[in-house]
Amino acid sequence: MHDLKAVRDDPQSFDRSLTRRGLAPQAQSILDLDHKHRALIQRLQELQTRRNDVSKQIGQRKSKGENADDLIAETAKIKNELPEVEAQEREAGAAVTCLLEALPNLPAADVPSGKDAADNKEVRRWREPRKFNFQVKDHVALGERLGMDIPTASKMSGARFTLLKGQVARLERALAQFMLDLHTTEFGYTETSPPLMVRDNAAYGTGQLPKFGEDLFRTNTGHWLIPTAEVPMTNIVAGEILDEDKLPLRFTAHTPCFRSEAGAAGKDTTGMLRQHQFYKVELVSIAHPDQSDQEHTRMTECAQAVLERLELPYRTVVLCTGDMGFAAEKTYDIEVWLPGQDTYREISSCSNCGDFQARRMNARFRPKGGKGTRFVHTLNGSGLAVGRTLIAVLENYQQEDGSVAIPKALLPYMGGVEALKPDA
């Protein structure tokens, strides 16, 4: 949600930022609705004040035995007008909110301008991809002989689902445990096990609603299945006023994620790259506004560290204005090398949302020694997407005979298994 006062104070700057997002200027429309809303508030206050004054005058006249019919008639007129003005005021206020909540967060000043992924800027590259002396396979061809069963999953659930069995299922679990251990023991994140279903207010708070409802799955109880643990973990502080010295708060969770992939028709239809259900280890930070940039860098480095411990080549890019998510003001994407596709693919997005989500959730902190409250800044990132990490391990650690070596960092989690072997 945007700060209405900031739009009033500098509408030109607001419109310039929207233009960088590829959107038409909106400040004047917002200000017109705001002017109408404030005029109705003023009219409502005038009517309420006049009603109170007239009531006093009626009492005074009656105490003196004077006629008060004109004032009684005015009271009746005000009584009839008040509900109409109240309804108009609510409608005008809702119109302002509706317009503001539909607009994405404004990009940070150092975010590169651009239309799409082609305009993203690489900021880091780690390790050169391995050179194979045999024909590489993609994760689907490898997985078929290691316990990855897409046909059975499709039979029971349809497209974009995968059944993992045996050794490859154990590898997926090992990856998640390794990530959680790293983030909690070395990087200071608090492990959580959050609800997998949330109400409208929680999805609204992180920006999924009202605009992106079609991307989510809804139950017949009115709950939404979470698209990422960002939703429940960020909402831990919804409606709260935190002590400044408690910041930053850092949370992590390993959960399934559910996405309808409504806008992904025809994209990544084979294998595990784009699923309706997948597992992810998520990172969330609740930070002081003065420290959120540093926290963003730190979170990105924590996600990168997972790939470095697994010795998987990756690159990090800063997203341009046209490629960022709705709630983000700046995003780093980490892309892992997939030899089966001969390209880098996103495995983590780490975003600083500034106070955009906090305003929607009314999440604040009380400055030490100061008056009033301020909105916190919220950040989220994948640390990492477990399924895509599994794909990266299968493809980067594949051997000529179809087996897959286990990365050293995962050996303690694999019960002595050093390689996945075909048809084992």
Side-chain angles (χ1 to χ4, degrees):
M1 183 70 77
H2 295 285
D3 181 1
L4 185 53
K5 184 178 182 301
V7 182
R8 292 173 187 154
D9 292 346
D10 195 349
Q12 292 81 16
S13 176
F14 185 80
D15 278 344
R16 282 195 299 270
S17 293
L18 285 182
T19 301
R20 292 187 69 212
R21 275 278 206 170
L23 299 174
Q26 296 287 339
Q28 192 57 55
S29 297
I30 295 168
L31 295 176
D32 288 345
L33 287 172
D34 179 45
H35 177 76
K36 179 181 179 181
H37 183 221
R38 290 200 286 176
L40 286 165
I41 291 174
Q42 183 177 346
R43 177 59 181 159
L44 194 58
Q45 292 171 342
E46 290 170 351
L47 287 171
Q48 291 167 339
T49 300
R50 180 58 183 163
R51 179 188 59 187
N52 295 337
D53 290 343
V54 170
S55 295
K56 289 180 183 177
Q57 291 176 34
I58 290 173
Q60 291 170 355
R61 285 196 189 182
K62 286 186 174 181
S63 68
K64 296 177 182 179
E66 298 175 355
N67 185 286
D69 289 350
D70 59 327
L71 296 178
I72 293 172
E74 184 178 354
T75 299
K77 183 179 178 182
I78 292 173
K79 186 178 179 180
N80 289 333
E81 187 178 354
L82 266 174
E84 296 178 8
V85 177
E86 287 172 345
Q88 292 171 2
E89 185 273 327
R90 285 194 299 271
E91 184 179 341
V96 175
T97 299
C98 186
L99 183 51
L100 286 173
E101 70 186 7
L103 295 174
N105 201 352
L106 304 181
D110 61 346
V111 170
S113 296
K115 292 182 179 180
D116 52 36
D119 296 317
N120 296 339
K121 304 296 182 185
E122 184 175 318
V123 295
R124 177 177 170 81
R125 188 176 289 236
W126 188 85
R127 183 161 287 193
E128 287 299 313
R130 171 186 169 192
K131 295 186 184 300
F132 293 84
N133 57 7
F134 59 88
Q135 184 66 40
V136 299
K137 299 181 178 69
D138 67 11
H139 72 282
V140 178
L142 289 163
E144 285 176 347
R145 300 178 64 193
L146 298 173
M148 183 183 296
D149 188 347
I150 295 174
T152 300
S154 298
K155 182 174 64 176
M156 67 176 85
S157 302
R160 298 191 188 277
F161 290 93
T162 301
L163 170 66
L164 300 180
K165 297 180 292 187
Q167 56 186 337
V168 75
R170 179 167 191 166
L171 178 57
E172 182 188 49
R173 174 163 55 92
L175 283 165
Q177 289 179 306
F178 163 68
M179 293 175 195
L180 281 176
D181 285 350
L182 185 61
H183 293 312
T184 55
T185 62
E186 291 194 34
F187 300 148
Y189 287 86
T190 298
E191 184 173 354
T192 69
S193 180
L196 303 182
M197 299 189 297
V198 296
R199 293 175 174 169
D200 289 0
N201 59 294
Y204 175 85
T206 48
Q208 277 75 27
L209 294 180
K211 193 168 184 178
F212 302 101
E214 68 172 8
D215 295 328
L216 309 179
F217 287 110
R218 194 171 196 181
T219 71
N220 58 11
T221 63
H223 290 86
W224 300 91
L225 297 181
I226 61 168
T228 165
E230 168 203 346
V231 178
M233 286 199 295
T234 307
N235 272 278
I236 289 173
V237 298
E240 298 292 324
I241 300 176
L242 308 170
D243 292 332
E244 183 179 23
D245 57 8
K246 295 290 180 65
L247 301 176
L249 299 175
R250 299 182 179 119
F251 304 115
T252 186
H254 168 232
T255 68
C257 305
F258 305 92
R259 298 185 186 178
S260 72
E261 297 294 347
K267 296 179 181 177
D268 300 318
T269 55
T270 59
M272 290 181 60
L273 273 166
R274 196 179 294 272
Q275 303 272 277
H276 288 312
Q277 173 191 310
F278 59 95
Y279 288 92
K280 186 149 67 82
V281 172
E282 184 74 356
L283 307 174
V284 161
S285 293
I286 311 299
H288 190 290
D290 297 343
Q291 301 296 322
S292 66
D293 285 344
Q294 296 94 312
E295 186 69 16
H296 191 199
T297 299
R298 182 188 188 277
M299 177 181 284
T300 305
E301 290 172 347
C302 291
Q304 290 173 163
V306 177
L307 293 174
E308 291 174 13
R309 300 291 177 91
L310 295 173
E311 300 181 80
L312 293 171
Y314 71 86
R315 69 173 192 160
T316 302
V317 300
V318 58
L319 299 193
C320 71
T321 53
D323 200 33
M324 288 197 307
F326 180 79
E329 67 177 28
K330 185 175 183 179
T331 298
Y332 291 110
D333 265 12
I334 304 170
E335 300 174 347
V336 68
W337 176 254
L338 297 183
Q341 293 195 14
D342 194 33
T343 192
Y344 289 94
R345 293 298 300 263
E346 177 204 333
I347 198 166
S348 172
S349 282
C350 296
S351 297
N352 186 352
C353 298
D355 64 7
F356 185 82
Q357 293 177 326
R359 288 181 179 278
R360 297 169 78 101
M361 296 186 303
N362 195 26
R364 296 168 289 161
F365 72 96
R366 183 175 287 107
K368 217 185 293 185
K371 294 182 179 180
T373 60
R374 295 177 64 188
F375 288 105
V376 298
H377 280 195
T378 62
L379 302 94
N380 63 81
S382 306
L384 303 163
V386 180
R388 291 199 173 190
T389 311
L390 175 63
I391 291 170
V393 169
L394 293 178
E395 294 192 4
N396 282 278
Y397 281 86
Q398 64 179 292
Q399 308 300 310
E400 190 170 9
D401 63 358
S403 65
V404 174
I406 300 300
K408 291 179 183 178
L410 297 181
L411 290 175
Y413 300 89
M414 290 297 292
V417 174
E418 297 183 357
L420 306 187
K421 297 181 180 179
D423 305 320

